[in-house]
Amino acid sequence: EPEVTQTPSHQVTQMGQEVILRCVPISNHLYFYWYRQILGQKVEFLVSFYNNEISEKSEIFDDQFSVERPDGSNFTLKIRSTKLEDSAMYFCASSVVPLAGVAGELFFGEGSRLTVL
Amino acid sequence: AQSVTQLGSHVSVSEGALVLLRCNYSSSVPPYLFWYVQYPNQGLQLLLKYTTGATLVKGINGFEAEFKKSETSFHLTKPSAHMSDAAEYFCAVSLGGGADGLTFGKGTHLIIQP
């Protein structure tokens, strides 16, 4: 069964370092998302991406965050200068159709746990 | 702004007993509502969703949920719990208005006692 895969499963980094989290969405999906979950808190929407550009982003997704689809398969989340409060589980998701309008189903990866020291 | 409240961070039921996980939402537009399940060391998996039409929605693994507009609720139920149902359950509402993200509740950890 097709699935969304994420790497790394766990990354430990020093505050101020750049981090890139990678995702391989399901191959025929067109809409891509990043969510995060700080330990003990809600899963929060970060950004959605379609047709090689950001379609929506939340307040959390500030200038230190960026996303790109560098090739036909990978979808990456870059955190330019990590802060302690960026420590969280980051989930990538993809869908064939968007949530808006037709309520497409999101398929989530297993998550990448980021620990910032 | 949309929000989701899940009552009870932990719910414990006996195997074979009724499962009831509560979810209330607020939304300024007609909502799309979702329940996701997360098994240990796995990603979030869609259980069921409500968009329009029938208010009782059936999902995978014997779960169902009923959309009650008057109560702004979307509680998840299963008549008979199984040990394999032990997991984290998340209720979510679409942001609506053409936006493309989900607002999640904090999650409810379901514990099944033998």
Side-chain angles (χ1 to χ4, degrees):
Chain A
E1 184 176 333
E3 59 182 16
V4 176
T5 57
Q6 291 185 239
T7 55
S9 58
H10 189 191
Q11 183 162 354
V12 181
T13 190
Q14 295 291 324
M15 191 170 56
Q17 294 296 304
E18 177 183 282
V19 163
I20 297 176
L21 304 179
R22 290 181 169 80
C23 170
V24 179
I26 295 173
S27 61
N28 64 331
H29 286 189
L30 302 175
Y31 298 83
F32 313 112
Y33 310 81
W34 283 101
Y35 288 78
R36 79 171 185 191
Q37 184 181 28
I38 295 172
L39 188 64
Q41 298 187 25
K42 299 182 180 185
V43 177
E44 301 171 292
F45 168 72
L46 292 179
V47 65
S48 60
F49 190 87
Y50 168 71
N51 199 26
N52 283 321
E53 61 182 25
I54 290 173
S55 50
E56 296 283 347
K57 61 181 181 179
S58 70
E59 294 176 349
I60 302 167
F61 195 87
D62 61 21
D63 291 344
Q64 71 161 343
F65 291 93
S66 63
V67 290
E68 65 174 358
R69 191 160 160 80
D71 53 42
S73 60
N74 289 286
F75 178 52
T76 62
L77 174 69
K78 181 190 293 185
I79 308 175
R80 186 166 49 84
S81 177
T82 51
K83 306 183 182 70
L84 295 177
E85 54 265 36
D86 294 328
S87 294
M89 180 73 89
Y90 288 81
F91 292 103
C92 175
S94 68
S95 64
V96 176
V97 294
L99 282 181
V102 295
E105 175 179 349
L106 294 190
F107 291 81
F108 284 83
E110 293 183 3
S112 292
R113 181 169 296 285
L114 176 64
T115 302
V116 182
L117 302 176
Chain B
Q2 284 74 16
S3 68
V4 176
T5 302
Q6 290 184 242
L7 292 176
S9 59
H10 291 78
V11 170
S12 180
V13 302
S14 299
E15 190 174 17
L18 171 72
V19 175
L20 170 62
L21 304 183
R22 299 179 187 274
C23 173
N24 289 89
Y25 69 91
S26 68
S27 175
S28 57
V29 298
Y32 295 152
L33 295 159
F34 306 80
W35 275 100
Y36 281 84
V37 61
Q38 184 181 28
Y39 299 103
N41 301 316
Q42 294 187 28
L44 296 162
Q45 179 184 2
L46 181 68
L47 270 180
L48 47 80
K49 67 180 181 183
Y50 168 79
T51 54
T52 59
T55 55
L56 182 62
V57 180
K58 294 186 185 301
I60 61 172
N61 301 337
F63 284 92
E64 60 183 37
E66 186 170 11
F67 170 59
K68 292 188 177 180
K69 186 178 178 180
S70 61
E71 299 177 6
T72 60
S73 69
F74 191 57
H75 301 330
L76 182 71
T77 60
K78 181 174 180 177
S80 177
H82 192 271
M83 295 299 292
S84 61
D85 294 327
E88 191 83 15
Y89 290 80
F90 295 92
C91 183
V93 61
S94 65
L95 294 178
D100 211 25
L102 286 174
T103 297
F104 282 87
K106 283 192 172 184
T108 298
H109 186 63
L110 178 62
I111 301 163
I112 310 297
Q113 295 178 343

